[in-house]
Amino acid sequence: MSSPRDVVLGRIRAALKDVPPTEQPKDVYIDRAYLHVDDGDVHKRLELFIDRVRDYKAKVKVVRPEALAAAIVESCAARSVKRLVVPADLPDGWAPPGVELVREPGLTNEQLDQSDGVLTACALGIAQTGTIVLDSGPGQGRRAITLVPDYHLCVIRQDQVVGLVPEAVVKLEAAAAEPSRPITFISGPSATSDIELNRVEGVHGPRTLEVIVVTELDVV
């Protein structure tokens, strides 16, 4: 009996059987005459990002840089967070007082599961899709710490928000070249639908996503 892996690989080989052995990806023309960069108004781009993140049922809080620490404290207090997972390189000033920090590296899945949430930075945000991207870069930690806890509090700066997906792909090239830096695209809280199309939340990640947008612009 063939395994599912054998079946999948067999179908791939069948689909590629007419490809000459010497052909390389660059030999095939791909029309890339689409918009690569959003050079529009920064204010409108940030508003679009916030609107779309909220549309995914994520909570969004907009703060000035000097108010970030207080915003983190407020968010943790609102959920009665007592044990908070954080990456080893959590930025200075982000640790909320009175909350036990469960700091990477080396946390087990049980430790992550027993926490009240996780606080991280991110790599970038995409206004076009309302997506937040993590690439295991500074302030983010490894992928598991943002998948196991049921609450993810994520901080993003205004200058990390790009307009379009192609811009994001270019910025993520360095991380994509490193196998140790998996890239995670987050569009709202974890949700999926079962066979009867009933929405189920929290299957593949946190049921609650809260985003703090740090900006000097007047957006709400």
Side-chain angles (χ1 to χ4, degrees), residues 56-59 79 85 112-113 115-120 134 143-154 184-192 199-210:
Y56 280 123
K57 303 184 185 308
K59 298 180 180 179
R79 288 186 58 90
V85 173
L112 295 175
D113 190 45
S115 71
D116 297 313
V118 57
L119 168 64
T120 73
L134 278 67
R143 173 183 276 173
I145 71 170
T146 59
L147 295 182
V148 179
D150 202 34
Y151 168 62
H152 183 188
L153 179 58
C154 186
T184 306
F185 289 72
I186 303 171
S187 296
S190 170
T192 187
R199 181 182 171 93
V200 179
E201 297 181 338
V203 176
H204 306 295
R207 280 181 294 187
T208 302
L209 171 66
E210 183 167 0

Side-chain angles (χ1 to χ4, degrees), residues 35-90:
L35 193 60
H36 288 247
V37 177
D38 172 16
D39 55 2
D41 181 75
V42 174
H43 191 281
K44 290 183 178 178
R45 182 189 310 150
L46 189 61
E47 285 188 329
L48 177 62
F49 173 73
I50 293 170
D51 180 67
R52 297 207 164 158
V53 172
R54 283 179 171 146
D55 194 50
Y56 280 123
K57 303 184 185 308
K59 298 180 180 179
V60 179
K61 186 182 297 182
V62 182
V63 302
R64 303 277 182 182
E66 62 273 17
L68 173 58
I72 293 173
V73 171
E74 180 186 69
S75 295
C76 290
R79 288 186 58 90
S80 301
V81 172
K82 295 181 173 59
R83 302 181 77 246
L84 186 65
V85 173
V86 297
D89 58 346
L90 185 75

Side-chain angles (χ1 to χ4, degrees), residues 84-219:
L84 186 65
V85 173
V86 297
D89 58 346
L90 185 75
D92 293 339
W94 286 22
V99 174
E100 178 187 352
L101 298 184
V102 185
R103 194 180 292 267
E104 280 274 81
L107 298 177
T108 65
N109 289 342
E110 287 72 24
Q111 289 174 301
L112 295 175
D113 190 45
Q114 291 168 3
S115 71
D116 297 313
V118 57
L119 168 64
T120 73
C122 66
L124 56 87
I126 308 172
Q128 182 182 34
T129 59
T131 303
I132 292 170
V133 184
L134 278 67
D135 65 357
S136 303
Q140 299 165 55
R142 61 190 169 104
R143 173 183 276 173
I145 71 170
T146 59
L147 295 182
V148 179
D150 202 34
Y151 168 62
H152 183 188
L153 179 58
C154 186
V155 177
I156 183 170
R157 303 186 313 273
Q158 168 200 316
D159 62 349
Q160 292 179 292
V161 178
V162 300
L164 306 173
V165 172
E167 296 175 85
V169 171
V170 170
K171 289 181 175 290
L172 293 168
E173 283 182 350
E178 297 183 34
S180 62
R181 295 180 60 185
I183 298 172
T184 306
F185 289 72
I186 303 171
S187 296
S190 170
T192 187
S193 295
D194 64 16
I195 196 169
E196 296 182 340
L197 301 182
N198 295 313
R199 181 182 171 93
V200 179
E201 297 181 338
V203 176
H204 306 295
R207 280 181 294 187
T208 302
L209 171 66
E210 183 167 0
V211 181
I212 299 180
V213 180
V214 183
T215 178
E216 296 280 7
L217 298 177
D218 291 324
V219 292

Side-chain angles (χ1 to χ4, degrees), residues 8-31:
V8 170
L9 291 177
R11 289 175 179 174
I12 293 174
R13 292 188 186 99
L16 297 175
K17 65 180 181 182
D18 60 342
V19 177
T22 58
E23 183 175 286
Q24 299 296 312
K26 63 182 180 182
D27 298 331
V28 180
Y29 172 75
I30 299 176
D31 184 4

